[in-house]
Amino acid sequence: MTAKIIAYQGEPGANSDIACRDAYPDFEPMPCASFEDVFAAVQEGRAELGMIPIDNSLAGRVADIHHLLPKSGLHIVGEYFMPIHFHLMGVPGATREGIRTVHSHVHALGQCRRIIAALGARPVIAGDTAGSAREVAEWGDPSRACLAPPLAASVYGLDVLAENVEDEDHNATRFVILSREYVEAPAPTSDDEMVVTTFVFRVRNLPAALYKALGGFATNGINMTKLEAYMVDGEFTATMFLADVEGHPSSPELARALEELEFFTDELTVLGVYPAAEFRIEGEHQPK
């Protein structure tokens, strides 16, 4: 039986590769050169699902996704939160004392400043973390090391010189899972269940339109966990918003809030109604 495919952006061993393997162990991860390629793979049926990073707790939102997702025709069917760890790697036989340069994605370099300073090495920006591991393996130079996810060491045959070298231990990335098919999660039946609804909207170009549009969520007790604005087609008066709320559209409270929102918008599109990840639910249950 042919394995189902889940597409991701990056090279083998990347964090997105790890997320695919963790969240969908029965699927075969398919690396893609760009986010556009991931969307195309799902749209064209070469992959059943796509795994896309959308937010990072340190770096913020992932560029381009907000523009690509609403126009893709794809739907969010799930979310996955993954703690981010970086290992310092070198070719077999390399030592920490011999390292002169450390290669990785700009965000990884910025999140691992302490180990780079301790080594007295020069940081060098690479296209992505897993790609830097591949390059270090190809160069075969023991003075060159990389910062990459743990999986990359086995993929490219590198030695791990130090584990979990990130400066902060609360670094996490939120991924969304995309599908051609619209699959709506059922409404929760207990307090231990949670559903997230993601949508995009464009408010009318009227005074206080955004304030009025969001009022319904406050009055109906809906928790909005994400609200981000981005420009559309270079028009300063055509701002789109992407929002996540906790709740199911079939609930009276969220239904009323969305109805009020629609009254003040020119465009409203639900991108997905999907089960909340355990990471999110556990966070909700932490003492405030």
Side-chain angles (χ1 to χ4, degrees):
M1 182 177 178
T2 303
K4 292 183 177 181
I5 304 296
I6 180 168
Y8 69 91
Q9 186 277 325
E11 299 196 31
N15 280 314
S16 294
D17 185 6
I18 298 174
C20 290
R21 295 167 187 253
D22 288 349
Y24 291 88
D26 296 332
F27 280 61
E28 179 181 339
M30 183 177 79
C32 297
S34 67
F35 290 126
E36 288 89 344
D37 291 339
V38 175
F39 282 86
V42 180
Q43 290 164 339
E44 296 166 7
R46 290 182 283 115
E48 281 76 17
L49 300 174
M51 177 74 74
I52 294 291
I54 192 166
D55 297 297
N56 177 267
S57 59
L58 295 180
R61 77 181 187 187
V62 177
D64 298 333
I65 300 305
H66 297 67
H67 296 281
L68 295 172
L69 184 54
K71 300 178 182 179
S72 68
L74 302 180
H75 309 282
I76 301 175
V77 295
E79 65 174 357
Y80 182 71
F81 290 81
M82 189 177 79
I84 302 300
H85 299 291
F86 296 110
H87 288 3
L88 179 72
M89 305 173 191
V91 296
T95 64
R96 292 178 56 163
E97 293 74 21
I99 293 172
R100 298 293 176 265
T101 58
V102 176
H103 304 254
S104 197
H105 187 273
V106 61
H107 287 164
L109 294 173
Q111 293 167 17
C112 302
R113 289 189 175 95
R114 283 201 292 264
I115 184 68
I116 297 173
L119 294 168
R122 177 170 60 89
V124 180
I125 296 174
D128 64 35
T129 54
S132 71
R134 174 182 53 77
E135 291 174 338
V136 165
E138 291 173 350
W139 291 326
D141 182 349
S143 71
R144 295 180 174 184
C146 66
L147 295 165
L151 179 62
S154 59
V155 171
Y156 299 106
L158 298 177
D159 284 353
V160 175
L161 306 179
E163 297 183 352
N164 301 337
V165 296
E166 59 275 2
D167 296 341
E168 305 291 343
D169 60 5
H170 56 76
N171 187 5
T173 292
R174 176 185 176 228
F175 295 83
V176 291
I177 298 93
L178 306 179
S179 171
R180 291 185 307 280
E181 306 299 325
Y182 180 77
V183 180
E184 183 173 290
T189 57
S190 72
D191 292 340
D192 294 330
E193 299 176 352
M194 183 188 299
V195 168
V196 178
T197 298
T198 297
F199 53 92
V200 292
F201 64 95
R202 186 204 306 247
V203 296
R204 298 179 182 179
N205 190 21
L206 298 171
L210 179 61
Y211 173 80
K212 295 174 182 176
L214 298 180
F217 296 94
T219 57
N220 285 284
I222 300 298
N223 186 25
M224 180 172 287
T225 60
K226 178 186 183 75
L227 179 65
E228 293 193 348
Y230 59 99
M231 308 307 293
V232 179
D233 300 327
E235 297 182 20
F236 287 96
T237 59
T239 302
M240 290 288 289
F241 294 88
L242 185 146
D244 292 335
V245 297
E246 295 175 356
H248 196 282
S250 65
S251 71
E253 296 81 7
L254 184 51
R256 288 193 295 267
L258 290 173
E259 182 180 8
E260 189 167 339
L261 171 67
E262 196 165 10
F263 183 79
F264 293 102
T265 62
D266 290 324
E267 181 180 339
L268 172 61
T269 303
V270 174
L271 299 178
V273 180
Y274 48 95
E278 289 185 14
F279 185 97
R280 180 193 293 268
I281 297 174
E282 290 171 357
E284 284 290 313
H285 292 164
Q286 293 296 319
K288 300 294 192 278

